[in-house]
């Protein structure tokens, strides 16, 4: 089968623990049976995802340009809300409280249960302690002080969403883990017992207490090692309680499937939508602020409803856009559409049914942001793009990972 080969025993012994483990046995057999797995790889909804031809070199020129680097970091310390036990000790009055902890890490307290999405407490999103994108702000609260959670939800296996030190710390608790198909191999390798895993294909559901969790489609890719063979799935997630529904996008490009997810599972009281680390070099695997607001509206049946929490920005430097651009432009896009957007400082809890944090706090520590906020129309995909450069397959994914690891920030 193309796209999947187990490395030799010698190479497996040399690979860093953070690379995780490859699916095998019954897990790999289940992957092969998935309707979303073909020709040795998981397939994106909507067809192949574009990466611009020659993008690694062009991207590197921008990424390592000295002047560009200044724009991609705050000019002074990011104001972090030091989350305390008092902030989250009392149950939310409305039954739903959300705490953005930076990047895509979110604690959601929903109908008497606690769900932790994509927890990353490590200093770098990298397999190495000495290289790779480094935190731009401290974690708002120590992991041990966060208190027990009912379920940890992982969207996919990239380093800025699946963090080895954090998972090892959580492996010593009795929490459950809900993960996309194939990702369980990493967690078992790091000490999570199989009976604590809920491993789902798209549109599969599991129950955790009074919550129903559903893995829903996303448009992205996977991979942690030097070869990204697309054999672990990526997903967005719907969490439904007795009274509330929430949605976490994970990493995804914009696609028509948001409308289907909304029609089947929405509307939502709150959505956590990826709006950072976008680039013209990978237009189909991350969303711009405008696309993020459009995705939220699709999930809500085409009309403003609920609260949008922008995620996947502010904590790590992963693209060439200005550091505060995603937050600023998402607020602009929300105002234009009449959609409520929350802008909490990292660690600041809020209830979507209550008073929302809407202060543009980043303006006090950011370089000026380009105006107006609208980006030019995306160019049509180049007619000469070859499959090797026009998809997010192993070669493109590897190039992106290498650039991420090279960027010390």
């Amino acid at each position: 089968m193309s796209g999947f080969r187990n490395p030799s025993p010698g190479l497996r012994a040399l690979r860093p623990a953070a690379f995780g483990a490859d699916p095998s046995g019954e897990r790999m057999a289940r992957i092969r049976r998935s309707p979303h797995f073909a020709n040795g790889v998981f397939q994106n909804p909507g067809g192949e995802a574009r990466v611009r031809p020659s993008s690694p070199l062009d991207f590197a020129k921008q990424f390592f340009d000295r002047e560009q680097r200044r724009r991609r970091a705050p000019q002074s310390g990011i104001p972090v809300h030091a989350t305390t036990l008092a902030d989250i000790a009392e149950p939310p009055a409305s039954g739903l409280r959300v705490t953005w902890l930076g990047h895509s890490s979110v604690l959601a307290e929903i109908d008497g249960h606690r769900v932790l999405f994509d927890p990353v407490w490590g200093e770098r999103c990298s397999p190495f302690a000495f290289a790779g994108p480094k935190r731009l702000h401290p974690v708002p609260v120590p992991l041990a002080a966060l208190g027990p959670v009912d379920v940890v939800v992982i969207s996919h296996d990239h380093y800025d969403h699946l963090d080895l030190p954090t998972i090892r710390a959580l492996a010593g608790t009795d929490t459950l883990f809900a993960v996309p198909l194939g990702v369980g191999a990493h967690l078992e390798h790091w000490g999570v017992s199989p009976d604590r895993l809920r491993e789902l294909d798209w549109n599969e559901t599991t129950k955790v207490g009074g919550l129903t969790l559903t893995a829903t489609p996303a448009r992205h890719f996977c991979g942690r090692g030097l070869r990204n063979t697309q054999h672990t799935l990526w997903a967005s997630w719907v969490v439904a309680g007795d009274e509330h529904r929430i949605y976490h996008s994970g990493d995804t490009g914009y696609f028509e499937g948001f409308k289907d997810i909304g029609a089947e599972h929405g509307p939502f009281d709150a959505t956590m939508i990826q709006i950072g680390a976008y680039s013209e070099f990978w237009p189909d695997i991350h969303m711009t602020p405008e696309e993020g607001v459009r995705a939220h509206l699709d999930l809500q049946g085409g009309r403003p409803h609920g609260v949008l929490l922008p995620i996947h920005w502010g904590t790590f430097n992963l693209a060439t856009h200005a550091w505060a651009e995603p937050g600023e432009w998402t607020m602009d896009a929300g105002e234009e559409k009449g959609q409520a957007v929350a802008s909490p400082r990292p660690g600041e809890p809020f209830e979507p049914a209550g008073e929302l944090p809407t202060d543009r706090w980043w303006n006090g520590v950011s370089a000026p942001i380009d105006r107006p906020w609208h980006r030019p129309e995306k160019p049509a995909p180049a007619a000469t793009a070859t499959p090797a450069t026009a998809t997010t397959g192993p070669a493109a994914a590897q190039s992106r990972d290498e650039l991420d690891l090279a960027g010390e920030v």
Side-chain angles (χ1 to χ4, degrees):
M1 174 177 291
S2 64
F4 181 81
R5 291 182 301 159
N6 278 314
S8 68
L11 290 176
R12 283 199 300 268
L14 292 174
R15 60 191 277 169
F19 280 8
D22 295 310
S24 60
E26 176 51 35
R27 178 176 279 117
M28 192 61 212
R30 186 180 167 203
I31 288 170
R32 291 190 177 108
R33 293 193 299 267
S34 169
H36 313 296
F37 190 80
N39 301 318
V41 297
F42 279 109
Q43 305 292 317
N44 264 312
E48 294 176 338
R50 293 170 292 157
V51 171
R52 209 176 79 181
S54 304
S55 64
L57 179 59
D58 292 343
F59 174 73
K61 288 177 181 178
Q62 287 193 29
F63 193 84
F64 295 113
D65 177 80
R66 181 174 296 181
E67 186 59 35
Q68 293 290 328
R69 286 171 68 86
R70 291 194 186 100
R71 298 172 60 250
R72 300 200 315 271
Q75 295 187 321
S76 58
I78 295 172
V80 173
H81 178 92
T83 313
T84 65
L85 185 59
D87 286 326
I88 53 179
E90 291 293 325
S94 65
L96 177 63
R97 181 167 56 211
V98 178
T99 307
W100 179 51
L101 297 159
H103 200 58
S104 295
S105 302
V106 180
L107 174 67
E109 299 164 272
I110 173 171
D111 297 339
H113 298 81
R114 305 176 91 227
V115 182
L116 185 59
F117 293 95
D118 284 357
V120 174
W121 261 251
E123 279 300 303
R124 295 181 187 271
C125 48
S126 164
F128 309 111
F130 55 86
K134 189 176 182 180
R135 279 188 169 273
L136 300 175
H137 66 79
V139 292
V141 59
L143 186 61
L146 195 63
V149 297
D150 295 285
V151 58
V152 172
V153 176
I154 303 296
S155 64
H156 64 296
D157 70 357
H158 285 159
Y159 291 102
D160 56 325
H161 297 259
L162 181 61
D163 179 53
L164 169 60
T166 305
I167 297 301
R168 279 185 167 166
L170 291 167
T173 70
D174 58 1
T175 188
L176 299 176
F177 293 82
V179 303
L181 184 56
V183 174
H186 298 312
L187 272 63
E188 284 189 35
H189 186 63
W190 298 334
V192 177
S193 60
D195 63 333
R196 289 166 54 200
L197 289 173
R198 305 291 185 268
E199 197 163 349
L200 306 185
D201 201 345
W202 288 340
N203 303 312
E204 291 183 342
T205 291
T206 189
K207 293 274 191 180
V208 175
L211 299 178
T212 300
L213 289 80
T214 305
T216 45
R219 188 163 169 76
H220 199 55
F221 67 109
C222 66
R224 297 180 69 84
L226 295 180
R227 296 180 307 108
N228 291 316
T229 49
Q230 308 298 83
H231 55 270
T232 67
L233 190 59
W234 46 95
S236 56
W237 288 87
V238 170
V239 179
D242 292 335
E243 302 292 336
H244 296 90
R245 290 173 177 265
I246 57 177
Y247 171 86
H248 189 285
S249 71
D251 275 6
T252 181
Y254 178 81
F255 70 115
E256 291 294 318
F258 291 117
K259 297 174 183 176
D260 298 329
I261 295 170
E264 184 168 355
H265 301 284
F268 299 97
D269 299 281
T271 69
M272 296 150 270
I273 302 288
Q274 174 267 311
I275 49 81
Y278 46 83
S279 171
E280 62 187 290
F281 296 108
W282 49 85
D284 293 339
I285 58 172
H286 283 167
M287 288 191 290
T288 66
E290 185 174 16
E291 289 171 325
V293 171
R294 191 192 318 163
H296 172 92
L297 294 174
D298 286 351
L299 291 161
Q300 306 290 28
R303 62 184 181 86
H305 181 79
V307 176
L308 189 164
L309 171 64
I311 61 172
H312 202 262
W313 78 283
T315 304
F316 298 107
N317 185 341
L318 300 175
T320 59
H321 59 64
W323 167 71
E325 187 178 283
E328 183 77 2
W329 285 5
T330 303
M331 295 292 285
D332 289 348
E335 288 179 359
E336 184 177 87
K337 298 296 185 182
Q339 171 58 52
V341 176
S343 60
R345 290 161 175 80
E348 182 181 2
F350 70 94
E351 297 190 34
E355 183 177 353
L356 298 181
T358 57
D359 177 35
R360 301 190 186 212
W361 52 265
W362 49 83
N363 287 333
V365 297
S366 168
I369 301 170
D370 291 340
R371 316 300 298 189
W373 69 271
H374 289 281
R375 280 193 174 279
E377 289 294 321
K378 289 180 182 176
T384 57
T386 64
T389 58
T391 70
T392 54
Q398 178 175 334
S399 298
R400 173 74 204 286
D401 285 352
E402 288 169 349
L403 287 166
D404 278 355
L405 294 181
E408 172 124 15
V409 294

